Amino acid sequence: MKILTLSDVVVDLVQSPLIAQRFKDVDLVLSAGDLPLDYLEYVVTMLGKRLYYVNGNHVQQAFHEGQGGMRTVEPEGCINIHHRVVNHRGLLIGGLEGSMRYSQGEHQYTQREMSLLVATMAPCLWWNYLRYGRAIDILVTHAPPQGIHDGQDLCHQGFRAFLRFMEVYKPRYLIHGHTHLYRQDARRITQYHETTVINTYGFQIIEIDEATLAQPRRKPKEAKDRMVKAGWIK
Ligand SMILES: [Zn+2]
């Protein structure tokens, strides 16, 4: 399964009439946030493939008369996977939106709030363990994990909870954005335990062999012990 991942900047190669030809073998699109709605809608329309996304800290808003002013608008035809896990043709994909809280804006969380969001995903992830022998294959986030591809300023610091998420649930990939890459040699990929962390800034292509998904990689007992130890389940 070939996956096109997007975030943060509009790429001419993607927003092009040739998109369907260039990415014809892509099965799925994942967006890690901070992209214009019309860009996501263009991709989903032109490729005709499922697009799952999480919001970044910069989201488009629209004024709605009689509805109390500005509110976030969702891209049409795309599916928001914040705080849940979906099963796409056997591939388990989850999402966690937003960045560290640095202002009063939407989609911002403190370390504590993000830890709570991760903790409350435990029942759903545990159910996946029981059903599929694994909790999740890909976690899509906007912000990076703490200490991996993150920055020093509050806005660009990564979340500690994502490290714990990877230690306990062992997703194959954590796809994030938020950290802009201005140099060709900037670090984009880091291995953390069993997870490949990718900053998709712009776009990336990842490929997953579907045949390997069916093999349970962890025994439920072992997984449960980890979750109990993390305090996420009793
Ligand atoms: Zn951002």
Side-chain angles (χ1 to χ4, degrees), residues 8-9 25 35 48 55 94 100 103 119 123 137 164 176 191 196-197 200 211 230:
D8 295 276
V9 281
D25 50 355
L35 285 171
N55 281 311
M100 278 287 287
S103 72
D137 299 309
R164 298 291 290 140
H176 73 88
Q191 191 69 27
T196 306
V197 182
T200 183

Side-chain angles (χ1 to χ4, degrees), residues 8 34 56-58 99 142 156 177-180:
D8 295 276
D34 279 0
N57 49 316
H58 301 292
S99 72
H142 178 61
H156 292 96
H178 193 51
T179 309
H180 290 213

